[in-house]
Structure formats: structure tokens, C-alpha cells
Amino acid sequence: MPDAQHPGRCFKVARRWAEEAGWTYVEGFVLVPSEIPFSGFEHAWCLTAEGRVADPALPDGWATAYFGVPLSDRFCREQRALQGRTRF
């Protein structure tokens, strides 16, 4: 997929990946290794048809865990319409 591994653009790029590939868009939190022992932050990614994580922003293997809610295409379209946007 294009636009891979662009931290800070995960929401936009994950939504595009989901629409183009027919995957499920997910928003939630990701845990990554840090000095604390873990650090978590808001994040977006996709789930493939096989249920695997496809992450447009983080390098493979960098995240320790993903916790999120899959969002339907309909919900995402409705939210964009409420915000006055038609695309990502």
C-alpha cells in the first residue's frame, strides 16, 4: 500500500487503506516499548480479511499490542459527512 509508515497520519492513511483494500478500519490505542516500561497512544490501523493488523504508520514489529474498536464503513462515511468532508 502507498503512504506506509507515516507517523502522525495514521488515521487518514488507515482509512484510505481500509477503503481501497476492503479491510476493516480500527481506532484505539497501541502499546510500544519505552523506558516506562510501555507507552500507549491513540492510533488507527486496519484489520485484513484474515484478522491481521495492517499498520500504515508503525514499522512491522514495533507495537507490542493493539486495543481498539473496529468501525464500519457506514459509520466512517457518516462521520465525514457530519464534518463536511467527502474523503479521508
Side-chain angles (χ1 to χ4, degrees), residues 1-10 12-14 16-17 20 23 43 54-60:
M1 289 287 180
D3 296 325
Q5 298 178 349
H6 288 279
R9 295 179 51 206
C10 64
K12 180 178 181 177
V13 178
R16 183 180 314 139
W17 279 22
E20 290 175 359
W23 293 340
H43 195 56
D55 191 330
L58 301 178
D60 288 343

Side-chain angles (χ1 to χ4, degrees), residues 17-33:
W17 279 22
E19 288 187 5
E20 290 175 359
W23 293 340
T24 302
Y25 175 75
V26 183
E27 287 187 6
F29 293 88
V30 65
L31 292 178
V32 296

Side-chain angles (χ1 to χ4, degrees), residues 15-54:
R15 186 70 214 135
R16 183 180 314 139
W17 279 22
E19 288 187 5
E20 290 175 359
W23 293 340
T24 302
Y25 175 75
V26 183
E27 287 187 6
F29 293 88
V30 65
L31 292 178
V32 296
S34 71
E35 298 174 10
I36 303 179
F38 291 98
S39 178
F41 52 89
E42 290 181 78
H43 195 56
W45 61 94
C46 298
L47 291 177
T48 66
E50 297 80 26
R52 293 193 172 104
V53 169

